[in-house]
Structure formats: structure tokens, C-alpha cells
């Protein structure tokens, strides 16, 4: 799998919803030397591939307000490139907040306007928790196949005793 998009926060910005790491006793908590680049607190990697008339977007990493714009861009690009819609594989998501949910809801609204659908494949525990708490998981289920009558035959309901 090739990395499609890597998003890191701007230097000096930190999500207010993430706990800060306490300083280790005996180690200076001073500024980072300029020759060392700080490790980003959040990383998001997306990749996509075609599966029939749909696009599958595989997401790994953390989705919060810093990385949600990159997720949203990858999802919208996949939606434009698909004929039926987008399947989001969120099994590799380690952190998910309302920013990720809002990105999915906006994508769903756009997809429905174009006669397409958005489904969530194998959500991670974090994603499943947010979708369950907000009661939005049914919005991202695959559409049920319609039951069609066999051609040339009339279908009658079973009689009741």
C-alpha cells in the first residue's frame, strides 16, 4: 500500500482534547533544539483503490481536527472518482473524534446528492464507539439488496392457516 496523504499538524499546535505528556523527572523540558524536528503528535495516512464501481479509502492513524481536512480531501477525491460511492476502511484508526465524524457526514450528504453511497468497513474500536454514541452507524451501513420477483412468475404471499 502506498501512502496517499500524510498530514501533520503545524508546529506549535496541539489538540486541546489530547492529554499533555508529563515531563519525565530529571529530564529538561526546555525547548527542542533547532536541529531536531519534533515528532508530530498526530499522523494520518490514507490510500485508495478501485473495487468495481466503488472506491475504497483505507485510513490509518489518528483523525482529529488537525488531520480531518486531509481525510476529507481524500474521501471527496475518491467520491468524485467512483461511480457508485465510497467504502471507508477505518480498521487502522487509532484515534477518532467528532472531526472525523463530521467529515464522513459531509461526504455522505454530497454522495446522496449525486446518487451515491458511503459505507464504513470494519471500523476500529474508537470509530465504532463514536458512531454508536452518536447513533450514526446506521447511516454508513451498506444498502440492503432489494428482493426482486422472478421474471415471468407472480409472487403470492403464503396463506395463513
Amino acid at each position: 500500500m502506498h501512502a496517499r496523504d500524510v498530514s501533520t499538524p503545524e508546529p506549535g499546535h496541539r489538540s486541546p482534547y489530547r492529554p499533555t505528556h508529563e515531563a519525565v523527572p530529571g529530564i529538561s523540558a526546555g525547548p527542542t533544539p533547532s536541529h531536531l524536528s519534533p515528532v508530530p503528535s498526530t499522523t494520518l495516512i490514507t490510500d485508495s483503490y478501485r473495487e468495481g464501481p466503488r472506491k475504497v479509502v483505507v485510513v490509518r492513524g489518528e483523525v482529529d481536527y488537525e488531520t480531518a481536512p486531509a481525510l476529507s480531501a481524500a474521501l471527496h477525491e475518491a467520491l468524485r472518482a467512483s461511480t457508485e460511492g465510497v467504502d471507508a476502511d477505518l480498521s487502522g484508526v487509532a484515534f477518532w473524534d467528532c472531526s472525523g465524524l463530521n467529515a464522513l457526514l459531509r461526504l455522505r450528504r454530497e454522495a446522496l446528492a449525486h446518487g451515491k453511497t458511503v459505507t464504513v468497513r470494519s471500523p476500529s474500536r474508537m470509530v465504532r464507539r463514536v458512531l454508536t454514541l452518536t447513533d450514526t452507524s446506521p447511516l454508513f451501513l451498506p444498502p440492503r439488496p432489494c428482493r426482486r420477483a422472478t421474471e415471468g412468475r407472480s409472487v403470492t404471499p403464503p396463506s395463513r392457516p
Side-chain angles (χ1 to χ4, degrees):
M1 182 179 342
H2 300 287
R4 179 83 177 132
D5 186 25
V6 177
S7 175
T8 56
E10 294 179 26
H13 291 276
R14 183 186 68 74
S15 171
Y17 304 106
R18 292 183 185 276
T20 56
H21 298 287
E22 297 298 320
V24 178
I27 297 178
S28 171
T32 305
S34 61
H35 66 279
L36 297 176
S37 60
V39 176
S41 63
T42 58
T43 301
L44 174 72
I45 300 172
T46 63
D47 189 22
S48 66
Y49 60 91
R50 182 170 295 287
E51 192 173 273
R54 301 184 67 79
K55 286 285 268 191
V56 177
V57 177
V58 180
V59 181
R60 292 190 330 244
E62 301 176 353
V63 181
D64 60 11
Y65 81 96
E66 295 169 338
T67 59
L71 172 66
S72 187
L75 291 171
H76 283 278
E77 180 182 323
L79 183 64
R80 282 189 292 277
S82 73
T83 56
E84 287 187 8
V86 174
D87 296 332
D89 181 344
L90 304 177
S91 60
V93 175
F95 181 82
W96 182 267
D97 68 5
C98 61
S99 301
L101 176 60
N102 284 330
L104 277 181
L105 291 170
R106 282 190 299 273
L107 181 74
R108 181 178 182 272
R109 183 174 48 222
E110 184 179 335
L112 291 175
H114 292 95
K116 300 178 183 182
T117 60
V118 176
T119 63
V120 171
R121 288 186 178 183
S122 38
S124 69
R125 192 177 118 260
M126 293 292 294
V127 174
R128 192 177 315 111
R129 183 169 188 258
V130 171
L131 293 176
T132 302
L133 287 173
T134 58
D135 200 27
T136 54
S137 56
L139 300 176
F140 301 104
L141 294 175
R144 290 188 210 167
C146 16
R147 296 176 60 187
R148 295 185 180 162
T150 309
E151 285 187 40
R153 294 188 196 169
S154 64
V155 178
T156 58
S159 60
R160 293 187 179 178

